[in-house]
Amino acid sequence: MKKEQLGELILAASDTMYHIAKSLLYEDADCADAIQEAIVKAFSKYHTLKNDAYAKTWLIRILINECYRILRRKSRTVPMEMPLQDQPSTPATDYSELYEALSALPDDMRLTVALYYLEGYSVRETAALLKVSESAIKNRLSRARAKLRRTLDERED
């Protein structure tokens, strides 16, 4: 793959990259950082891609790793702006009920739902991206649907 082709792929996958980053990270600034770092790493390592057919999967995997790196880094730091007792326990509440229910899911379920439903990856492709079995993906999707259903039903009552 040439650098020009990688650039075209990145432009074509920009929405997908944002959705995946947003499914793991709450803040837009963190999403932008993860995407930017993934792009830099992709350009610096594009020669390691063996099969051009898997370029998008390779790019998404780099992004997922960057998101997890940011989450690890953030878990080790405490913001100085607000005292510990005043920190919000949930992200901003200006999103829809479905988004709030999705953000309450564990990381592995949330990412699986985003890849499968929002980005349209198949079970097989999702399993390859997350490096788990296809049955694990099916189980995660089933548990996520059940949890979302319960959460949304509780909010209606």
Side-chain angles (χ1 to χ4, degrees):
M1 172 173 274
K2 296 180 180 177
K3 284 188 178 185
E4 293 81 21
Q5 292 171 316
L6 179 59
E8 291 170 7
L9 171 69
I10 290 169
L11 290 175
S14 62
D15 287 342
T16 300
M17 292 175 73
Y18 176 76
H19 291 141
I20 291 169
K22 189 68 174 177
S23 71
L24 287 171
L25 306 169
Y26 294 115
E27 298 177 23
D28 284 337
D30 290 338
C31 293
D33 288 345
I35 292 168
Q36 189 174 26
E37 285 298 317
I39 291 170
V40 168
K41 284 188 179 178
F43 272 109
S44 67
K45 306 253 185 212
Y46 78 97
H47 60 279
T48 63
L49 181 63
K50 294 179 174 82
N51 187 344
D52 290 354
Y54 298 113
K56 187 174 181 184
T57 303
W58 173 76
L59 180 62
I60 297 303
R61 187 69 233 174
I62 293 171
L63 176 63
I64 291 169
N65 290 339
E66 282 302 311
C67 290
Y68 283 136
R69 186 186 60 74
I70 289 172
L71 286 172
R72 281 191 305 272
R73 187 186 69 217
K74 284 184 106 29
S75 71
R76 293 188 305 243
T77 60
V78 177
M80 297 298 291
E81 301 90 50
M82 56 178 72
L84 286 175
Q85 66 270 20
D86 292 341
Q87 285 185 357
S89 59
T90 58
T93 57
D94 60 330
Y95 296 104
S96 70
E97 288 182 22
L98 179 59
Y99 180 77
E100 289 176 12
L102 276 171
S103 66
L105 291 174
D107 287 347
D108 60 340
M109 281 188 201
R110 189 171 58 242
L111 183 57
T112 303
V113 166
L115 289 170
Y116 185 77
Y117 288 110
L118 299 178
E119 298 306 322
Y121 283 101
S122 69
V123 169
R124 179 173 295 198
E125 292 168 331
T126 304
L129 275 169
L130 300 180
K131 298 181 181 176
V132 296
S133 67
E134 290 180 32
S135 62
I137 296 300
K138 291 176 185 176
N139 286 334
R140 286 180 188 178
L141 288 171
S142 176
R143 284 184 282 135
R145 283 190 298 265
K147 191 167 186 161
L148 286 171
R149 190 176 302 118
R150 280 193 307 272
T151 302
L152 293 173
D153 285 346
E154 288 172 3
R155 290 183 184 195
E156 284 181 2
D157 295 338

